Amino acid sequence: TAEAPFKLNVTAAPTISKGLTDQECLVGKELRLTIVSAASPQPTVKWFKDNVELKNVGTKVNDDTYELVIPNVKAEDEGNYKAVVSNPLGDKESQCKLTVIEPTDLKCQFPEQQTIQVGKPIKLECVVNGRPQPEVTWTKDGKEIKPSDRVEITKKPDGTCTMTIKGATPEDKVMHRRV
């Protein structure tokens, strides 16, 4: 009998064994989006943000692992990301949503201590920033102050929060705000 060596090439459309997952990332931190995909012949991987292809990004970590690295995440990096793995036999895609988080920053625009005449209005204002936009709760003696006929609480899209008390009473002393 005679033997002859031969090479067998098995071809397969891409499969994704580990897809992208939704991520939250703090501003300034590094983010790695990773997929694991097998295909023969070797696939190409294209990365997209909000359905726009990202050029010259993404790296092959090993035979079947691919990464998109954002070294210093910014607020504008938030969006929907997609990896498309392709070869001549087909393509597969995986998607995720990136939410960018910014630490809360609270600036109060009123003095720590104020003297208000009884019957006069009290207006306290602060500006709060962060992603997602933080909720502001006004409190007195550890209890939440709710809007009423006497108390108006507003929050503008720019993060400006105001509490106005229409007529000060002796019971209004020691007010606090909490993010």
Side-chain angles (χ1 to χ4, degrees):
T1 72
E3 290 184 14
F6 71 95
K7 185 176 179 183
L8 177 64
N9 285 328
V10 177
T11 59
T15 58
I16 295 177
S17 56
K18 179 185 175 282
L20 300 175
T21 56
D22 289 351
Q23 304 279 323
E24 288 186 345
C25 188
L26 203 57
V27 165
K29 296 294 183 185
E30 179 180 86
L31 173 74
R32 291 177 180 268
L33 299 178
T34 305
I35 62 164
V36 177
S37 173
S40 181
Q42 194 70 38
T44 59
V45 177
K46 290 183 179 177
W47 294 90
F48 297 81
K49 178 186 176 237
D50 297 327
N51 289 318
V52 175
E53 185 175 353
L54 302 171
K55 301 286 188 183
N56 304 315
V57 298
T59 56
K60 184 176 175 181
V61 177
N62 60 38
D63 280 346
D64 57 3
T65 304
Y66 303 86
E67 269 187 345
L68 172 65
V69 178
I70 302 173
N72 181 15
V73 170
K74 297 175 178 55
E76 55 268 21
D77 292 323
E78 184 167 285
N80 295 302
Y81 286 80
K82 175 171 65 175
V84 178
V85 184
S86 307
N87 76 4
L89 300 173
D91 55 73
K92 285 279 188 215
E93 68 178 51
S94 181
Q95 299 184 47
C96 71
K97 179 179 181 174
L98 170 62
T99 302
V100 176
I101 309 275
E102 288 183 45
T104 298
D105 179 35
L106 176 67
K107 290 185 177 77
C108 296
Q109 297 164 338
F110 52 87
E112 288 272 331
Q113 192 168 1
Q114 294 183 57
T115 302
I116 307 287
Q117 188 177 343
V118 170
K120 297 288 183 187
I122 303 169
K123 183 175 182 179
L124 303 175
E125 188 172 274
C126 64
V127 178
V128 63
N129 292 299
R131 285 175 69 102
Q133 183 72 29
E135 290 299 317
V136 173
T137 304
W138 295 89
T139 63
K140 178 180 186 272
D141 300 328
K143 295 188 178 127
E144 183 176 350
I145 300 169
K146 302 270 191 188
S148 67
D149 290 344
R150 213 170 71 81
V151 178
E152 180 182 311
I153 296 174
T154 61
K155 182 177 179 188
K156 295 179 183 168
D158 70 356
T160 302
C161 302
T162 307
M163 179 177 67
T164 306
I165 299 174
K166 291 182 181 150
T169 68
E171 292 78 36
D172 291 324
K173 60 184 180 179
V174 191
M175 295 273 182
H176 300 282
R177 84 258 158 226
R178 180 177 77 221
V179 176

